[in-house]
Amino acid sequence: MATPKVNTNSLNLGQGSTPDIEKKTLFIGVADGSAINSVVYLSSGSDLDDLMGAADSRLKSQVKAAVLSAGTGFEAAYIEITAFAEWPAALEKAMETFSMEMVVVCEPITAQVDLTDAQVVAQNQINTLSRLVDIFMETPVITGLQSWSDYVTTQALLTDGVVCDRVIPVPNLNGNNLGALVGRLMKNEVSIADSPIRILTGADISLGQFAVDKDGKAITLATLTALHNQRLTVPFWFSDVEGTYWTDCLTLDKTGGDYQLIENRRVVDKAARAIRILTINQIGNREFNKTELSTKFYESFLAKPLRQMAIDTTINKKRIPGEIQKPKADAITIQWTDSDSVNIFYKVTPFHSPKEITNNVFLDLSSSQ
């Protein structure tokens, strides 16, 4: 026989939201201010003169360009160092309190090894903290002894044969290219699935003046194209159209790799971050098992981050597609390798956009009199 009893338990099903990492950025650069090895947080309303001093530095110039390019909603941090070699340790320090999507190293590289070292640093963040970051590196400005042809040759030597799918090299053609580019990627008006090449994002308003070569010659579209062909991300423009824009943002992924374009890298990373949190909650959960009923349920349940990323937005009756296409029934595949281990495969399908448009105009004389 039993006495009456009612037990009430409050269950935590892990259905809450997780912090957004996307578009958060860390800037690292040499300075002689008061923030050496200290993380300073920034918003679009931050007073940079108060925080970083009235004098300009490489770091301050890049941050200023990023704030101007990104507009409202800018969320970032910076950390000052005394020498280029200190930047990996500065990133480790920042990771203690700030999780970011993009890391911007505001000092120029001098050799290929600087790019490959950056890839190692990014991989270490994955191995130790499961944090996915992209690292933007500055390649040197043209010197007073170089023609534009010489400059393209020296830049090509930096990227030739390098495979670093989490590193984005950016030539310093305007003095603040890193900040201008990253700010464009941080804009609230566009998604992480958008390339900086997108013209509707607007012309770049933050770039400084283009450098000139040893003969005082301005850079040309042909030179910019040659730099881009070396997997460098550069500004671009169109004749008879006002404003300066950008090329695609390129990583140093291998030829034929899936992640040569930053937008492909970013959507997969966003999905991976959300999926990781979701699946951590499934460790030791007996409801997630090998049965057919459980498999069908979790194929749908684990697709939640993909469904959220695929949500469209409608503004003034204009449909703006989500970051990825709506996941289909086969988007999730669950494969048990033994009684305690499971492999899960997620299919992320991006949208495509035109980056080369060929117009063909012809006469129709069939009804001419």
Side-chain angles (χ1 to χ4, degrees), residues 303 306-308 310 324-332 347 349:
L306 306 187
R307 290 193 297 269
Q308 290 176 329
I324 59 174
Q325 295 186 42
K326 183 178 179 181
K328 297 180 181 179
D330 64 347
I332 310 293
K347 185 189 297 185
T349 308

Side-chain angles (χ1 to χ4, degrees), residues 170-222:
V170 182
N172 188 13
L173 300 173
N174 302 75
N176 59 0
N177 293 69
L178 278 176
L181 172 63
V182 171
R184 193 170 180 88
L185 295 173
M186 295 173 70
K187 276 181 175 290
N188 276 342
E189 301 96 298
V190 297
S191 79
I192 60 168
D194 286 305
S195 167
I197 203 173
R198 183 177 181 271
I199 302 302
L200 290 177
T201 302
D204 194 299
I205 61 172
S206 59
L207 278 171
Q209 293 292 317
F210 277 98
V212 296
D213 72 359
K214 66 182 182 65
D215 298 316
K217 292 181 179 179
I219 197 167
T220 64
L221 289 178

